[in-house]
Amino acid sequence: MSEQKQQGTATLTVDGKSVELPVYAASVGPSVIDVRKLYAETGHFTFDPGFTSTAACDSDITYIDGGKGELLHRGYPIDQLAEKSHFLEVCYLLLYGELPSKAQLTTFEKNVTEHTMLHEQMTNFYRGFRRDAHPMAIMVGVVGALSAFYHDSTDITDPMQREIASIRMIAKMPTIAAWAYKYSVGQPFVYPRNDLDYAANFMHMCFSVPCAEYNVDPVMAQAMDRIMTLHADHEQNASTSTVRLAGSSDANPFACIAAGVACLWGPAHGGANEACLNMLREIGTVDRIPEFIARAKDKDDPFRLMGFGHRVYKNYDPRAKVMEQTAKEVLELVGTEDSPILQVAQELEKIALEDEYFVKRSLYPNVDFYSGIVLNAMGFPTSMFTAIFALSRTVGWIAQWKEMIGDPDQRIGRPRQLYTGATARDYVPVDDR
Ligand code: ACO
């Protein structure tokens, strides 16, 4: 962290002793009070489980203004990127900081396309999983196993190896996810096709079979690309922080990204789109909405409106707006634009946005409110929803990991604790207890 960013100091008085703590300005958004010397000077830690008021790093990659409902990647608003750009260009932006020139984009796309195949021996690895394994269980294992297959890109001190590992993971993740799906439905693995773009190739690997021709519909491919773009990065969320913490010990990048996949799997993080779709199905028809709204407001009922509310966004999640439009396009294509699920979703959103309970608590739809509807209409089973989130978020994890490794201030992440256990006592032999 450079000294130029310092905008002032904060004074903290504890046990009658005052300490001056530097305050650093952000380019936009909240500044931070630097407490790194607090323990050495006062003997106290700060206490912030859940990191509600703690910045764990400085970063140039992604900015969220939760109050405004704004999400910027390297300064560019997500709605502009979703509408005018495409996933691999956004990958380049996240990784290298600027939008690519035409030539840079062509080279980057070629590099990614040429790394999409998995080592053939990995097919044996897949076959070791039980037939009914969850795609995310397979992904955690296979992504971690990449470090056993690609030894030449695990030395994190070599920038070239870091670069190769990054390209490999972005390129291979769709193949890993698609093969996890194929394995779970008992179909043969489908190899990637270099003539298709990133999103279309993923759909080809998921839905084509050797016995019939499969042409990826351009509307579907565009919807898939948009889902990937909308999920590409989201600053220091739980899985990204997990990747950074794993990487802070200098673990190899494949192991770090496997840690991110594991964290994303949890229903409080990547699993919410599945829960939201199940809820919309359970509501079923528009006339049942008031009953569910009442349940969501009842403090004695654990039910919550899935796809509503967010720790950071206290306004409409900008990704949800784009996703709603994508849902309409996809449902129109598959001929279910009048589907009861979309009707329920739109009516539920309308009612909730006007309801005092939701307005007072700033509970707006989040990205998961519509993404499950889209993925379901595209033909994906709910078990694949989080796997698709994981493959889309891989670039964000890698960009954040690379930023951390390149930071000269980087040290191993080692949180402290407020100890509340027993004080020192003598061991008692088992016969005397
Ligand atoms: N339905 C009904 N009430 C809600 C909801 C909801 N979905 N979300 C929050 N509230 C209420 C809470 O009961 C609480 O009310 P109170 O102040 O009267 O006690 C208030 O709003 C604040 O809620 P918190 O739980 O304190 O907010 P927090 O920031 O901890 O939680 C979370 C955020 C977990 C996303 C929550 O809103 C939720 O459970 N939403 C549903 C699940 C979901 O959609 N998750 C996806 C998140 S996006 C993502 O991960 C990609």
Side-chain angles (χ1 to χ4, degrees), residues 9-316:
T9 54
T11 308
L12 179 79
T13 306
V14 57
D15 298 337
K17 186 183 172 203
S18 291
V19 282
E20 298 266 293
L21 301 166
V23 176
Y24 294 104
S27 51
V28 55
S31 50
V32 298
I33 301 169
D34 181 351
V35 295
R36 280 176 291 182
K37 301 238 158 49
L38 187 69
Y39 176 58
E41 293 192 8
T42 69
H44 289 277
F45 299 141
T46 56
F47 183 63
D48 186 18
F51 297 99
T52 40
S53 298
T54 297
C57 61
D58 59 323
S59 178
D60 294 347
I61 301 172
T62 291
Y63 172 71
I64 301 172
D65 184 327
K68 277 207 293 197
E70 184 177 66
L71 169 60
L72 309 177
H73 292 323
R74 305 285 191 184
Y76 296 101
I78 190 65
D79 46 328
Q80 288 185 26
L81 294 172
E83 191 194 336
K84 298 176 182 164
S85 182
H86 61 274
F87 183 65
L88 280 188
E89 187 175 65
V90 172
C91 287
Y92 186 101
L93 176 69
L94 289 168
L95 287 172
Y96 307 112
E98 295 296 335
L99 288 169
S101 67
K102 232 180 199 162
Q104 287 169 328
L105 183 60
T106 306
T107 308
F108 180 69
E109 288 181 335
K110 186 169 177 293
N111 278 343
V112 171
T113 306
E114 287 178 355
H115 283 87
T116 48
M117 284 200 0
L118 292 180
H119 193 293
E120 191 59 20
Q121 232 182 310
M122 290 194 95
T123 55
N124 300 331
F125 194 77
Y126 272 83
R127 294 196 171 95
F129 288 99
R130 246 175 74 145
R131 166 66 57 228
D132 56 355
H134 192 285
M136 283 298 278
I138 298 181
M139 284 189 78
V140 174
V142 175
V143 174
L146 290 174
S147 43
F149 287 88
Y150 300 100
H151 303 135
D152 59 345
S153 51
T154 53
D155 178 0
I156 62 140
T157 61
D158 177 352
M160 185 50 83
Q161 293 203 30
R162 297 205 294 263
E163 180 66 15
I164 295 170
S166 306
I167 297 289
R168 276 187 170 143
M169 276 186 282
I170 292 166
K172 294 182 198 306
M173 216 47 146
T175 317
I176 293 172
W179 284 17
Y181 170 59
K182 284 300 198 192
Y183 187 73
S184 70
V185 291
Q187 290 181 4
F189 298 136
V190 174
Y191 289 91
R193 262 179 53 186
N194 284 4
D195 61 318
L196 295 175
D197 68 35
Y198 192 86
N201 177 49
F202 175 62
M203 297 202 63
H204 154 75
M205 290 189 289
C206 286
F207 296 126
S208 74
V209 286
C211 49
E213 196 174 315
Y214 173 78
N215 292 314
V216 185
D217 187 285
V219 174
M220 290 290 194
Q222 198 195 15
M224 178 48 72
D225 190 280
R226 212 169 268 164
I227 287 175
M228 291 169 171
T229 301
L230 292 178
H231 288 90
D233 190 46
H234 214 226
E235 53 116 311
Q236 310 310 321
N237 55 84
S239 57
T240 303
S241 299
T242 301
V243 170
R244 279 187 179 257
L245 195 56
S248 77
S249 73
D250 293 350
N252 79 69
F254 303 112
C256 296
I257 302 303
V261 177
C263 178
L264 187 77
W265 193 1
H269 191 4
N273 47 13
E274 188 175 338
C276 181
L277 186 70
N278 290 337
M279 176 195 75
L280 294 174
R281 281 181 178 144
E282 194 190 339
I283 297 175
T285 48
V286 168
D287 58 301
R288 295 192 64 206
I289 292 175
E291 178 196 326
F292 283 82
I293 294 265
R295 282 186 61 194
K297 288 155 62 169
D298 181 355
K299 289 287 160 218
D300 298 326
D301 189 330
F303 174 79
R304 282 190 163 194
L305 274 195
M306 287 293 128
F308 264 78
H310 196 276
R311 171 61 66 80
V312 180
Y313 291 118
K314 299 302 167 200
N315 201 328
Y316 211 106

Side-chain angles (χ1 to χ4, degrees), residues 320-382:
K321 280 198 186 123
V322 183
M323 198 56 88
E324 181 185 8
Q325 183 53 31
T326 306
K328 280 187 199 148
E329 287 165 16
V330 169
L331 292 182
E332 202 172 313
L333 181 79
V334 296
T336 49
E337 67 269 38
D338 298 327
S339 96
I341 285 188
L342 185 65
Q343 281 174 9
V344 168
Q346 288 179 321
E347 191 58 25
L348 185 65
E349 177 185 332
K350 210 170 118 209
I351 294 173
L353 289 180
E354 287 164 3
D355 190 290
E356 202 213 324
Y357 174 94
F358 292 88
V359 173
K360 211 171 121 201
R361 290 167 179 78
S362 304
L363 298 171
Y364 292 84
N366 58 51
V367 66
D368 291 325
F369 191 63
Y370 285 104
S371 64
I373 298 178
V374 179
L375 291 170
N376 176 59
M378 289 170 107
F380 288 103
T382 47

